[in-house]
Amino acid sequence: MDHLSVRKNLLGHVRRVVVKLGSSVVTTENGLDRKMIRNLADDIHEMRKTGKEFIIVSSGAIAAGVRRLGLKEGARTIPQKQAAASIGQSRLMSAYDEAFGRYGIRVGQLLLTRDDLTHRQRYLNARNTLMTLLSWGVVPIINENDTVVVEEIKLGDNDNLSALVAVLASADLLITLTDIEGLMDCDPRVNSDACLIPVVENITPELKSLAGGTSSGVGRGGMSSKIEAASKAQMSGVPMIITKGKVEGAIAKTLSGEVCGTLIMPAKEKISARKSWIRYNLRPEGALRVDSGAAKALTHGGKSLLPIGIIDVEGSFDDGAAVDVIDQNDDKIAVGLVNYSSEEMKRIVGRQTAEIDWVLGYRRYDEAIHADNLVVL
Ligand code: GLU
């Protein structure tokens, strides 16, 4: 099938869409781009008539706050960014509220942090809120809660947030609206012959190296963070389109299958939503080094990790924590949730399952990491 038919075929089945807007799309040098936000609302209003549902992930809080305050040098320190976001976020929401309100469509705000997406119960709570909003016909508008996060605990950029939201919401498509056409085969800033890559099947190292740094200077994400987000979406089975945002009818054109932007195809063998959460939302708190037999059983046999296959335990973690699994070549081969804490694990490494009882005095589980909680990389 040629890439146009592939695109049309895939888009024919799309119902729930996450649309991500970068700061460079929702703002101009004078502040919020209300005209653009109205165009987006026009577009989404039309598309909703065809039964589609939309969730928006919008950047722009910091940029809008900075412009409102007239800070010539921008927000430099973290407290300044946080304070600018608190001013800009309410303005951002009022712009969306006004734009969608023209059609009687309500909007709802969700401000998330990494912790919300790491903590399983909070993650599910956020999902329940989203689902309820959608069932009421409301358009959820999501941003990172910039006022309370500092660099070390930040999700980083809204590209990554939008991919995690797409998985959280079981979306059929993620559309990333940005300030360039899509992924190009060379750097368009230095090469005027740069051509759009219409479809990406696999995110190769070459593709990653094609994606340079930030394209616009406003907002945090550049092409490389879009590729990182695309790989999360791809592995979790969500197709993604990266396209230019400041185009009238950008959403309708994208959904009609016209070639605008780059379509990143979902993986043929996707991982479940729960495994996607383990792999992409959690931060490993330690590592287990395993022998070659265990490495093979995990990567080729889809087996659980037993204490007998573990050689060494690194870091300090509680049971239930996420850890990396590392083979004897020092390669990270999996990530998973442990059934025992690091202290317990150190006592049972290399032991037969039956020995766990007498070493610890109890045996909560046979496995160090159960296959259901293990994601092979
Ligand atoms: N959350 C930030 C904001 O609203 C933007 C982060 C990003 O650009 O990715 O300003």
Side-chain angles (χ1 to χ4, degrees):
M1 243 198 284
D2 64 281
H3 72 76
L4 248 173
S5 325
V6 168
R7 190 180 277 251
K8 290 219 154 125
N9 192 25
L10 190 142
L11 292 170
H13 299 98
V14 165
R15 186 162 166 269
R16 183 171 296 158
V17 186
V18 173
V19 180
K20 187 260 168 182
L21 295 96
S23 300
S24 61
V25 178
V26 283
T27 59
T28 65
E29 63 265 22
N30 301 321
L32 279 175
D33 189 345
R34 288 177 187 271
K35 183 163 173 274
M36 188 275 147
I37 293 175
R38 283 194 200 111
N39 283 343
L40 177 85
D42 298 344
D43 214 4
I44 288 184
H45 169 59
E46 280 308 311
M47 288 294 102
R48 278 170 41 120
K49 291 182 188 159
T50 64
K52 297 198 190 323
E53 292 174 332
F54 290 86
I55 295 168
I56 293 177
V57 174
S58 180
S59 302
I62 298 174
V66 163
R67 271 138 211 182
R68 180 65 180 161
L69 288 163
L71 296 178
K72 297 234 159 34
E73 290 179 13
R76 280 174 296 116
T77 64
I78 289 177
Q80 284 178 357
K81 284 185 188 150
Q82 292 176 318
S86 93
I87 294 159
Q89 181 62 32
S90 53
R91 297 182 64 75
L92 196 59
M93 281 312 292
S94 98
Y96 281 111
D97 191 41
E98 185 270 324
F100 281 100
R102 294 176 300 143
Y103 299 109
I105 301 172
R106 304 275 166 258
V107 296
Q109 169 181 266
L110 269 91
L111 296 178
L112 299 174
T113 60
R114 179 188 273 277
D115 278 355
D116 299 321
L117 298 175
T118 303
H119 192 281
R120 188 73 186 161
Q121 195 54 50
R122 273 151 72 178
Y123 179 84
L124 296 174
N125 291 344
R127 179 178 159 87
N128 290 340
T129 306
L130 262 183
M131 294 306 137
T132 307
L133 289 170
L134 290 175
S135 74
W136 287 343
V138 174
V139 176
I141 316 244
I142 303 178
N143 196 356
E144 185 163 8
N145 192 353
D146 295 305
T147 56
V148 294
V149 291
V150 290
E151 220 60 35
E152 306 79 67
I153 55 164
K154 252 180 133 16
L155 277 155
D157 55 71
N158 279 1
D159 292 317
N160 278 298
L161 176 63
S162 65
L164 301 180
V165 165
V167 180
L168 169 81
S170 316
D172 305 308
L173 177 69
L174 167 60
I175 301 177
T176 294
L177 298 179
T178 184
D179 53 0
I180 53 173
E181 307 291 334
L183 284 179
M184 307 304 250
D185 60 0
C186 54
D187 189 342
R189 289 167 296 187
V190 292
N191 195 332
S192 56
D193 295 338
C195 288
L196 178 79
I197 304 174
V199 181
V200 171
E201 298 262 0
N202 297 309
I203 300 177
T204 58
E206 292 74 48
L207 192 74
K208 286 185 186 161
S209 69
L210 262 180
T214 302
S215 55
S216 62
V218 254
R220 295 175 53 93
M223 260 312 148
S224 53
S225 71
K226 288 179 180 53
I227 296 284
E228 205 184 294
S231 106
K232 291 181 178 147
Q234 179 173 65
M235 287 312 298
S236 313
V238 182
M240 172 172 169
I241 294 179
I242 302 173
T243 191
K244 196 170 177 121
K246 291 203 181 190
V247 171
E248 218 153 296
I251 304 290
K253 284 183 188 148
T254 303
L255 289 172
S256 74
E258 262 181 51
V259 181
C260 36
T262 303
L263 165 65
I264 294 125
M265 297 292 287
K268 294 210 170 68
E269 278 181 46
K270 64 168 192 164
I271 55 175
S272 67
R274 183 177 153 76
K275 289 202 172 183
S276 172
W277 174 75
I278 293 172
R279 174 160 180 189
Y280 297 120
N281 294 38
L282 301 185
R283 275 184 298 184
E285 294 173 40
L288 300 176
R289 291 193 175 267
V290 299
D291 64 24
S292 56
K296 194 156 170 237
L298 301 187
T299 51
H300 293 95
K303 297 276 193 327
S304 296
L305 175 63
L306 301 177
I308 195 165
I310 303 174
I311 308 167
D312 200 9
V313 181
E314 291 172 10
S316 162
F317 48 82
D318 292 330
D319 57 326
V323 301
D324 289 328
V325 179
I326 299 173
D327 69 8
Q328 285 175 304
N329 300 325
D330 246 5
D331 288 326
K332 181 169 153 177
I333 54 168
V335 49
L337 304 183
V338 286
N339 283 335
Y340 291 98
S341 71
S342 50
E343 287 314 308
E344 291 169 318
M345 205 71 92
K346 280 177 192 155
R347 295 169 61 197
I348 59 174
V349 292
R351 299 285 189 174
Q352 300 276 2
T353 306
E355 292 176 306
I356 300 175
D357 293 275
W358 65 261
V359 174
L360 294 180
Y362 51 84
R363 171 162 36 129
R364 286 199 304 275
Y365 299 90
D366 290 353
E367 312 83 11
I369 301 179
H370 193 277
D372 289 348
N373 294 326
L374 188 98
V375 191
V376 175
L377 306 180

